[in-house]
């Protein structure tokens, strides 16, 4: 694919693997928060995939009693709530705990304890999920109230795949469609960039430094001799000159301060 997600001979045609949408700042903020939450959940799913051994099978001593298979211990309601984190195991347990937190059936302390029991390496990310989920909900509500997302999405689904035309259509919906949101289905990556409505969308790379013969001319002050190129790096003549001057400077004795 060409620069900026362009393909073929025309630089304004979107690559078939790319999905492009010009959105507002509210849409952009929601997408950033949502992508962050999805990345954390995906990382947790991979981390907890081999978490087959349940925490309840681990023997824990409480008040001198050994809680294991076949043991019967009478616990108060307070103890049951205190050790509730043991009921959440693996990735499904994380999702269930998050659902219970949203329903206010689980407090913040118990959720963080559950995250610590599930993964000690990802606890700081997992513990941030409830707040991140709340921020996503708030951002999504702002997108709904803005009431331009569906129209912008419909234009992004048109089959013409013309970047400039899509941007013009999006700006006709709202002058705030200044964020380029691009999804690459080939490697499942999201890309974001800002471009004000007054700026021109550049679809071809700048080639002012390329000569008509097809070879790049060396900028002023840069040596074009092959012997000055080492490991693919062009050496500046002025830097070489100053380097040799420093090497031939007479040694000076440092003055001691009394």
């Amino acid at each position: 694919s060409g620069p900026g997600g362009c393909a073929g001979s025309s630089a304004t045609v979107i690559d078939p693997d790319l999905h492009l949408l010009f959105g507002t700042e509210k849409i952009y903020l929601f997408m950033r928060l949502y992508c962050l939450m999805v990345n954390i959940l995906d990382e947790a799913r991979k981390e907890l995939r081999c978490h087959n051994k349940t925490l309840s099978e681990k023997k824990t001593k409480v008040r001198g009693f050994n809680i294991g298979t076949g043991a019967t211990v009478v616990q108060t309601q307070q103890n049951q709530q205190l050790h509730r984190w043991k009921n959440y195991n693996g990735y499904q347990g994380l999702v269930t705990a998050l659902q219970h937190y949203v329903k206010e059936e689980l407090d913040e302390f118990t959720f963080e304890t559950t995250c610590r029991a599930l993964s000690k390496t990802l606890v700081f990310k997992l513990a941030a999920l409830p707040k991140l989920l709340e921020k996503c909900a708030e951002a999504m509500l702002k997108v709904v109230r803005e009431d331009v997302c569906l129209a912008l999405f419909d234009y992004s689904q048109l089959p013409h795949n013309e970047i400039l035309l899509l941007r013009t259509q999006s700006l006709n919906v709202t002058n705030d469609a200044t964020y380029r949101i691009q999804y690459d289905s080939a490697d499942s990556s999201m890309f974001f960039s800002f471009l004000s409505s007054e700026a021109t969308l550049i679809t071809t790379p700048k080639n002012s430094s390329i000569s008509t013969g097809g070879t790049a001319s060396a900028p002023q002050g840069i040596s074009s001799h092959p012997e000055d190129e080492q490991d693919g790096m062009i050496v500046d003549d002025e830097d070489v000159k100053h380097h040799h001057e420093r090497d031939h400077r007479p040694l000076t004795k440092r003055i001691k301060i009394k």
Side-chain angles (χ1 to χ4, degrees):
S1 61
C6 304
S9 58
S10 176
T12 61
V13 178
I14 307 175
D15 191 290
D17 292 332
L18 302 179
H19 304 275
L20 178 62
L21 179 141
F22 289 95
T24 63
E25 183 178 9
K26 291 182 175 60
I27 298 176
Y28 162 74
L29 292 176
F30 167 73
M31 290 301 301
R32 290 303 298 261
L33 291 171
Y34 179 76
C35 289
L36 178 59
M37 184 176 64
V38 170
N39 285 337
I40 294 177
L41 290 174
D42 182 64
E43 190 175 357
R45 180 181 58 85
K46 295 176 181 178
E47 175 76 15
L48 303 176
R49 182 178 296 174
C50 300
H51 195 281
N52 296 325
K53 188 175 182 179
T54 60
L55 295 175
S56 59
E57 293 177 351
K58 294 182 179 180
K59 296 183 179 181
T60 306
K61 289 191 175 183
V62 178
R63 294 182 181 179
F65 292 96
N66 187 19
I67 303 177
T69 305
T72 303
V73 178
V74 178
Q75 294 181 332
T76 62
Q77 184 177 1
Q78 182 178 2
N79 287 334
Q80 291 177 356
Q81 180 66 22
L82 181 63
H83 299 283
R84 188 178 178 181
W85 57 270
K86 297 180 181 180
N87 299 327
Y88 305 103
N89 305 290
Y91 177 72
Q92 186 59 43
L94 174 64
V95 176
T96 304
L98 190 60
Q99 292 174 345
H100 289 172
Y101 179 87
V102 173
K103 296 178 181 179
E104 298 182 353
E105 298 176 359
L106 198 67
D107 56 42
E108 186 175 356
F109 175 78
T110 307
F111 182 83
E112 183 175 347
T113 305
T114 302
C115 296
R116 292 182 182 276
L118 290 175
S119 174
K120 297 185 182 299
T121 58
L122 297 178
V123 59
F124 66 100
K125 293 183 179 181
L126 302 183
L129 284 174
K131 294 295 183 181
L132 185 57
L133 183 60
E134 292 177 5
K135 293 296 183 181
C136 282
E138 294 175 1
M140 184 175 63
L141 185 59
K142 293 179 181 179
V143 170
V144 173
R145 291 174 178 173
E146 191 179 36
D147 197 22
V148 294
C149 182
L150 293 179
L152 295 174
F153 178 78
D154 289 340
Y155 277 120
S156 69
Q157 300 302 303
L158 295 179
H160 57 71
N161 289 336
E162 290 284 342
I163 297 179
L164 296 178
L165 178 58
L166 176 59
R167 182 171 183 247
T168 302
Q169 293 171 336
S170 301
L171 290 175
N172 288 336
V173 175
T174 173
N175 201 41
D176 296 330
T178 54
Y179 287 85
R180 176 172 177 168
I181 304 173
Q182 185 170 293
Y183 173 68
D184 188 352
S185 59
D187 58 356
S188 301
S189 300
M190 291 289 298
F191 301 91
F192 305 88
S193 62
F194 172 81
L195 184 66
S196 63
S197 57
E198 294 81 11
T200 303
L201 177 61
I202 300 176
T203 58
T204 55
K206 295 182 179 180
N207 55 357
S208 58
S209 61
I210 301 179
S211 60
T212 55
T215 57
S217 58
Q220 186 178 3
I222 302 297
S223 173
S224 59
H225 301 290
E227 59 270 14
D228 291 337
E229 299 182 8
Q230 299 177 356
D231 298 332
M233 180 175 66
I234 300 178
V235 182
D236 195 329
D237 288 338
E238 294 296 328
D239 291 340
V240 174
K241 181 179 178 181
H242 293 319
H243 177 72
H244 288 300
E245 289 178 355
R246 289 193 301 268
D247 291 343
H248 292 84
R249 289 176 184 174
L251 297 176
T252 58
K253 190 175 183 180
R254 179 177 298 176
I255 301 176
K256 294 182 179 180
I257 300 176
K258 295 182 180 181

